[in-house]
Amino acid sequence: MKAAIFVGPEQPLAIEDVTPNPPGPRDVVVRVAASGVCHSDLSIVHGYVPLPPPCVLGHEGAGTVESVGADVRKVQPGDRVIASFVPACGQCWYCMHEKTNLCENMFAASMTPRVTLADGRIASCMTGLGTFAEAMTIDETSVVKVDTDLPDEQLALIGCGVTTGVGAALNTARVEPGSSVAVIGCGGVGNAVIQGARIAGAARIFAVDPVEMKRKTAEQLGATDLVDPADGDPIAQVQALTGGRGTDYAFEVIGLPETIVQAYNTARRGGTVVVVGMPRMDAQVTLPGWQLFSDEKRLLGCVYGSAQVQRDFPRFIGLVETGRLDLGTMVSRRIALDEVNDAFRAMEAGEVIRSVIV
Ligand code: APR
Ligand code: ZN
């Protein structure tokens, strides 16, 4: 089968024919129907997170179960599934404490050898998935069965960006009705945060992004105020519109130290700051010590939207089916697997919210 392989930092993904390794008794083989191209995939290509090559990239995908190992109980052939990029083993301390997004098996899943390349080398798959392929062999703890008629491309987005963004608003921050929210970075994940804030009933949603198309999309998806950093310091722009206080919530959805500090300074005293973006692994963030104490802000990390995937994937599907969550607008381009490198280019050029491989 064809797969897009990470072969080393700053090199284009190699589109190769690979042979899936034999599945184990707890493995599920999923025919990939759609896979979103997320900024985290690009961060791997840039070497921001050290991942040993060769590795099949892609962690945002949905498809249909093709076959299951002898011990698999959760799904059967023909089931529609969304892949979860953090497994939910159900047995570790975090899973036992309703924190499956922090499941201790994540590292082991991402290190499992899954395919053999034409030259005999063995490759693992990003986060244990590897959605940039025609099929993937994944542990049953990484699949969530879904019962819906929604298009594959929309289900794929629930696998990462939508769950991360909507979950950041609903689960991590628990945005309150009538509140004010700033979202810094309005790509695929940021626009999902905006939708989550709208669903939670936020009164004002400030969308901060230098790219006009991103701001326009943000407006379509629920932002009430659009902030272009080119018009001046975004913190001052938001403060001017919030009585000088800043917002009740500020989300950073890029992954840069400077915008994390910006989000911190955009939230009002006593407000909530959520770091949704994935910084490079060696990044450091410097915050003002006095304000950290005296402004009493809540600074929250956010992994996978604090989502409990077995609960939240069906929950988000329900929101899409009833028209409250718009995923159609978030799919900018449908592409073939061998166009994935161009999708990275389009992402960096600010041309798309999401490209989806179908
Ligand atoms: N201020 C505001 N917005 C910015 C800035 C800035 N200084 N710099 C870049 N942006 C915007 C880009 O214009 C883009 O719209 O941030 C957005 C990032 O969006 P995408 O590239 O689509 O990335 P996305 O897939 O949404 O991921 C965002 O979340 O899951 C993590 O690893 C992922 O860290 C990444 C983040
Ligand atoms: Zn992602």
Side-chain angles (χ1 to χ4, degrees):
M1 65 161 184
K2 269 205 301 185
I5 313 220
F6 169 66
V7 291
E10 303 300 3
Q11 293 182 54
L13 299 191
I15 315 297
E16 289 190 17
D17 252 318
V18 301
T19 307
N21 293 355
R26 297 186 40 151
D27 288 337
V28 177
V29 178
V30 176
R31 173 102 347 225
V32 180
S35 171
V37 180
C38 171
H39 209 111
S40 305
D41 300 302
L42 182 59
S43 295
I44 301 278
V45 176
H46 284 323
Y48 294 170
V49 182
L51 188 76
C55 176
V56 182
L57 280 203
H59 62 282
E60 181 178 272
T64 304
V65 174
E66 209 165 69
S67 63
V68 298
D71 296 342
V72 171
R73 296 286 172 270
K74 255 168 59 182
V75 291
Q76 51 190 24
D79 285 348
R80 278 189 107 187
V81 294
I82 301 176
S84 170
F85 79 76
V86 178
C89 78
Q91 322 245 300
C92 74
W93 191 94
Y94 291 101
C95 283
M96 299 291 272
H97 290 80
E98 295 172 352
K99 280 268 162 210
T100 65
N101 61 314
L102 303 179
C103 176
E104 287 172 5
N105 281 314
M106 172 142 191
F107 181 73
S110 62
M111 287 302 126
T112 308
R114 287 299 189 188
V115 301
T116 304
L117 309 190
D119 64 7
R121 283 186 301 161
I122 306 284
S124 59
C125 293
M126 180 175 179
T127 68
L129 301 182
T131 60
F132 294 169
E134 290 172 322
M136 53 189 177
T137 303
I138 59 184
D139 193 276
E140 76 167 321
T141 58
S142 299
V143 296
V144 177
K145 181 180 168 178
V146 293
D147 184 16
T148 177
D149 294 325
L150 289 182
D152 295 318
E153 61 193 34
Q154 297 191 21
L155 292 187
L157 300 194
I158 292 175
C160 174
V162 166
T163 294
T164 300
V166 177
L170 299 184
N171 298 329
T172 315
R174 297 182 175 271
V175 169
E176 294 202 346
S179 60
S180 57
V181 172
V183 178
I184 302 173
C186 303
V189 183
N191 267 299
V193 176
I194 287 168
Q195 295 211 61
R198 169 175 51 72
I199 290 163
R204 287 188 84 172
I205 303 174
F206 297 85
V208 184
D209 200 293
V211 179
E212 190 184 11
M213 183 274 284
K214 311 286 182 132
R215 298 193 300 273
K216 284 271 163 61
T217 306
E219 186 172 35
Q220 202 179 332
L221 296 176
T224 57
D225 297 78
L226 309 182
V227 176
D228 180 356
D231 292 342
D233 180 10
I235 304 166
Q237 291 193 58
V238 173
Q239 280 172 343
L241 297 162
T242 51
R245 279 188 309 277
T247 51
D248 298 323
Y249 304 87
F251 294 82
E252 198 277 356
V253 205
I254 308 159
L256 297 172
E258 52 269 36
T259 39
I260 291 172
V261 175
Q262 199 174 82
Y264 181 81
N265 289 320
T266 300
R268 65 161 167 82
R269 292 187 75 199
T272 299
V273 184
V274 187
V275 179
V276 184
M278 184 178 82
R280 39 183 307 153
M281 256 188 166
D282 53 2
Q284 300 289 323
V285 177
T286 305
L287 291 169
W290 170 258
Q291 277 91 336
L292 207 46
F293 153 71
S294 70
D295 284 350
E296 208 188 81
K297 297 182 189 181
R298 297 193 306 147
L299 178 56
L300 306 176
C302 173
V303 175
Y304 213 172
S306 309
Q308 309 306 291
V309 291
Q310 297 288 350
R311 176 197 71 192
D312 285 338
F313 286 180
R315 188 174 166 219
F316 297 153
I317 285 171
L319 288 168
V320 182
E321 287 175 337
T322 52
R324 288 163 173 80
L325 179 56
D326 175 359
L327 302 191
T329 299
M330 296 180 56
V331 178
S332 315
R333 281 185 198 167
R334 292 161 193 83
I335 59 167
L337 180 61
D338 56 12
E339 293 172 296
V340 64
N341 290 304
D342 187 62
F344 286 145
R345 183 206 55 74
M347 176 186 290
E348 290 204 298
E351 292 172 6
V352 292
I353 300 295
R354 268 291 193 267
S355 299
V356 183
I357 300 167
V358 289

